[in-house]
Amino acid sequence: MFNSFRPISLLLSQPFVHFQGENPKKPGAPNTVRLYSIASTRYGDSFDGRTASLCVRRAVYYDPETGKEDPSKKGICSNFLCDSKPGDKIQITGPSGKIMLLPEDDPNATHIMIGTGTGVAPFRGYLRRMFMEDVPSFKFGGLAWLFLGVANTDSLLYDEEFTNYLQQYPENFRYDKALSREQKNKSGGKMYVQDRIEEYSDEIFKLLDDGAHIYFCGLKGMMLGIQDTLKRVAEQRGESWDQKLSQLKKNKQWHVEVY
Ligand code: A2P
């Protein structure tokens, strides 16, 4: 079980970071590296190229039997980061991985982004690039469509930013939320991102057929549900999902970063 989100700005940019801090269980020894997606573009939130933002969720463990917090099992790196103070030195290396880099070859492309929780991080960076930064080499004129799954309205991340884009760029941005503990899917169960995907499946399939990129970031568990949904939709349309998926991968339209 987890609580509390905290945006953190760090020196360095790019999509992935190896993280180190002191291992509280082995004083003097470094922590093993952790990977975090970066929630800003190479220019950083202050546009000077000297910071990068992460979206970190403090991992807290509650004993399922007693319901009490057990600090010995809390997330080491997330707590280390969330407890850090401005001016603290944090060692980072990287970046690593290219799968979640935003392809910028076609500024009019369609990008369908599916995220759960802090998995919104890379998409927040993409959307800044598309709608907030003034970059002469990349004038976005395509469609960005974000599906964001969180527990409830209170746990929405960067909602104000995204709502602003929606108002400013209604032709270029779509934003659909799946609030699992506030909304129900059509079978009366929790509303998950895969339920939203199913709702818009005809449009999504058409966009994919026309070359859209699709990205997934967040909980590993969502991929199973999403693949089941996509397979079911493909079958209803008389298409083979396996063939479609291998074509999407071959065309480099399929981008997955889950943990
Ligand atoms: P829930 O926790 O209500 O089951 P988290 O905050 O843990 O990162 O989760 C973000 C969102 O992803 C929550 O709404 C959570 O719902 C949802 N979620 C959890 N498991 C899955 C899954 N297998 N597929 C899709 N969404 C999921």
Side-chain angles (χ1 to χ4, degrees):
M1 298 265 302
F2 308 86
N3 66 13
S4 111
F5 291 94
R6 177 163 167 211
I8 294 179
S9 287
L10 294 158
L11 294 176
L12 209 96
S13 59
Q14 297 283 348
F16 252 111
V17 181
H18 290 262
F19 243 95
Q20 288 182 295
E22 186 171 314
N23 189 336
K25 289 185 181 158
K26 279 194 205 156
N31 270 317
T32 48
V33 291
R34 305 294 205 282
L35 294 169
Y36 286 86
S37 303
I38 295 184
S40 52
T41 73
R42 71 181 66 148
Y43 300 108
D45 285 5
S46 43
F47 297 104
D48 61 3
R50 291 183 49 76
T51 69
S53 299
L54 304 182
C55 180
V56 180
R57 184 176 208 196
R58 186 191 289 277
V60 181
Y61 182 82
Y62 291 97
D63 187 304
E65 279 176 16
T66 63
K68 287 200 180 128
E69 194 181 325
D70 181 350
S72 69
K73 291 189 182 156
K74 68 181 186 184
I76 293 173
C77 198
S78 67
N79 278 278
F80 169 76
L81 289 172
C82 290
D83 290 336
S84 64
K85 309 269 175 309
D88 282 358
K89 284 204 168 144
I90 295 174
Q91 192 186 354
I92 58 176
T93 62
S96 81
K98 291 195 177 143
I99 191 81
M100 295 303 278
L101 283 176
L102 178 69
E104 293 187 343
D105 48 334
D106 177 7
N108 297 320
T110 297
H111 304 271
I112 304 169
M113 301 162 271
I114 296 153
T116 47
T118 51
V120 70
F123 309 138
R124 193 260 178 170
Y126 296 178
L127 294 168
R128 279 182 76 85
R129 177 73 157 189
M130 292 163 175
F131 300 125
M132 196 181 271
E133 290 180 349
D134 191 10
V135 185
S137 60
F138 187 69
K139 292 271 170 238
F140 185 65
L143 173 69
W145 191 352
L146 173 66
F147 291 88
L148 180 58
V150 293
N152 48 44
T153 312
D154 284 349
S155 44
L156 278 167
L157 296 161
Y158 306 111
D159 189 53
E160 216 181 296
E161 229 170 270
F162 300 156
T163 307
N164 275 340
Y165 298 148
L166 211 48
Q167 282 159 3
Q168 287 171 40
Y169 302 96
E171 303 295 317
N172 305 92
F173 184 46
R174 292 176 71 169
Y175 177 31
D176 284 282
K177 305 165 203 177
L179 306 174
S180 59
R181 301 185 202 171
E182 250 175 52
Q183 301 168 325
K184 297 263 178 254
N185 65 16
K186 64 178 191 216
S187 324
K190 282 184 173 183
M191 175 64 86
Y192 280 161
V193 278
Q194 49 268 42
D195 300 307
R196 289 282 181 227
I197 292 176
E198 186 158 14
E199 214 173 299
Y200 294 103
S201 56
D202 278 339
E203 277 179 275
I204 292 175
F205 270 60
K206 165 113 198 357
L207 291 168
L208 290 175
D209 287 345
D210 291 344
H213 287 276
I214 190 160
Y215 310 81
F216 304 89
C217 189
L219 300 171
K220 200 183 266 171
M222 77 170 165
M223 286 318 287
L224 206 66
I226 287 172
Q227 294 257 28
D228 281 352
T229 302
L230 292 172
K231 200 176 167 81
R232 192 170 56 250
V233 171
E235 276 161 11
Q236 285 161 4
R237 295 164 58 93
E239 296 177 42
S240 151
W241 173 245
D242 292 343
Q243 259 177 28
K244 207 173 182 70
L245 178 60
S246 64
Q247 196 58 45
L248 291 172
K249 286 182 179 168
K250 211 164 122 196
N251 296 347
K252 298 194 172 12
Q253 289 170 258
W254 184 262
H255 311 259
V256 181
E257 190 59 70
V258 289
Y259 37 84

